[in-house]
Amino acid sequence: MNRPGKPPASATVNHTGPICRDCMPVTLCSFLFALLMLISGCTGIPDNVSPVSEFDVNRYLGTWFEIARLDHSFERGLEQVTAEYSWRDDGGIRVVNQGYDRAKQRWESVEGKAYFIGDRDIGRLKVSFFGPFYGGYNIIDLDHESYQYALVSGPDTSYLWILARQPQLDTSITERLLGKASGLGFDTSRIIFVEQQTPGLPVAE
């Protein structure tokens, strides 16, 4: 999730450079993701999947890099994807996702809001990038010691992200997270790894 809570406002999309059972980031949710949530309105969690406990949202705030994801049209082709989380005045979380679209040769960004579903020490939230329509944001694995990586799912097993505080994540950690995801029913054969160090890109504003 990377940024707790957001105010009730519609998504703001900037082209300035470059997150069902009861239904639908971390790791980068674009405007099309907002439309997807508008259609599905899902804030659920996959069967047999549990969010982390003993969650400290203040330690989760800040910038996260998208290491890997199950690919979808709303993020297709995006490189150097990041998510930034910060507090909102209403107690929610401001979410800003950003990535570089190489085909369009520009950065894309989208702003949303997130709120907890239940207790704040459980890593289960709902996120919106478009009006009152929310999607599930479930933190299902987390580096509790130093908050350096996280595994995030959407409302079902077709949505999965690996996030990290640095552009690169140790291979052994990535493999462990993918192994866990596979055991929970995610099709990790479809995972793509996000380019985070592409030379020569314009600087995001």
Side-chain angles (χ1 to χ4, degrees), residues 117-197:
I117 299 175
D119 296 336
R120 284 177 174 258
D121 63 349
I122 301 297
R124 186 179 178 199
L125 301 94
K126 60 180 182 179
V127 62
S128 174
F129 293 91
F130 192 73
F133 304 97
Y134 286 84
Y137 184 101
N138 305 297
I139 303 163
I140 61 177
D141 198 294
L142 179 66
D143 172 18
H144 276 99
E145 182 175 348
S146 56
Y147 279 62
Q148 291 299 300
Y149 60 82
L151 182 65
V152 179
S153 83
D156 58 48
T157 56
S158 63
Y159 300 95
L160 186 73
W161 295 267
I162 294 177
L163 307 177
R165 291 298 195 181
Q166 301 298 324
Q168 305 297 324
L169 183 62
D170 186 272
T171 301
S172 64
I173 297 174
T174 301
E175 290 178 348
R176 183 186 70 78
L177 295 175
L178 291 176
K180 176 174 181 174
S182 178
L184 291 172
F186 294 87
D187 183 3
T188 56
S189 69
R190 295 177 48 242
I191 280 284
I192 67 167
F193 292 91
V194 181
E195 179 58 61
Q196 285 289 357
Q197 295 181 323

Side-chain angles (χ1 to χ4, degrees), residues 3 6 10-19 27-34 74-75 78-84 94-101 104-112 128-130 203-205:
R3 275 152 285 219
K6 308 238 173 297
S10 59
T12 300
V13 180
N14 300 313
H15 299 300
T16 57
I19 130 132
T27 325
L28 192 157
C29 302
S30 68
F31 180 67
L32 290 180
F33 186 38
F74 54 82
E75 282 191 279
L78 292 181
E79 305 175 6
Q80 301 205 43
V81 179
T82 59
E84 183 177 344
R94 177 175 179 255
V95 180
V96 178
N97 290 331
Q98 177 175 264
Y100 186 75
D101 188 324
K104 296 178 181 177
Q105 296 189 339
R106 70 187 185 195
W107 290 94
E108 303 282 354
S109 66
V110 62
E111 180 174 332
S128 174
F129 293 91
F130 192 73
V203 176
E205 297 183 8

